[in-house]
Amino acid sequence: MNFTVRCEPDQKIIFYKHWGNLKTEDIGYVWENKFLKMPEFTELGYNLFSDYSEAIFDMSVKDVDFIIEFMRHLIPILKGKKQSIIITDPTSTAASLIFENEVNQEIGFNVKIFSTKDAALKWLQSS
């Protein structure tokens, strides 16, 4: 699994980058072993910048339902937070757009898909 996670306290953002093949289990691992153990994410209200520009999703649209169900248990942490997601692979974009719509409606986690880092960061920093 190829990923990095770092915090930027001045911006109140957690920067997450994943490259290579990306499976549902990989995302679950990062959430359970990184984000949910970080007070910046769970208590201090940091937003999430997820860079998958060098990743290819190895998952199906059905996996979106699994991820949404996992996130239902995290509504108290996620509701009102923002996550920008950078995707450049066309196949990965389709599943991500379905995820974006579902998570916004079902969880109240404000997620938006971008193709550039600048646009993703600008949106994340806006109020």
Side-chain angles (χ1 to χ4, degrees), residues 54-111:
E54 296 175 28
I56 296 178
F57 286 20
D58 185 10
M59 56 184 83
S60 71
V61 173
K62 293 177 187 174
D63 291 323
V64 171
D65 292 334
F66 176 79
I67 294 169
I68 296 295
E69 190 56 38
F70 170 79
M71 291 184 149
R72 280 189 207 290
H73 304 286
L74 305 176
I75 288 175
I77 295 171
L78 299 176
K79 192 168 182 114
K81 281 190 186 193
K82 293 169 84 174
Q83 178 185 23
S84 60
I85 299 176
I86 302 169
I87 305 280
T88 55
D89 175 62
T91 305
S92 301
T93 301
S96 298
L97 290 171
I98 292 169
F99 170 75
E100 175 187 63
N101 185 50
E102 296 275 331
V103 77
N104 285 329
Q105 290 181 359
E106 300 287 326
I107 309 300
F109 187 29
N110 195 2
V111 174

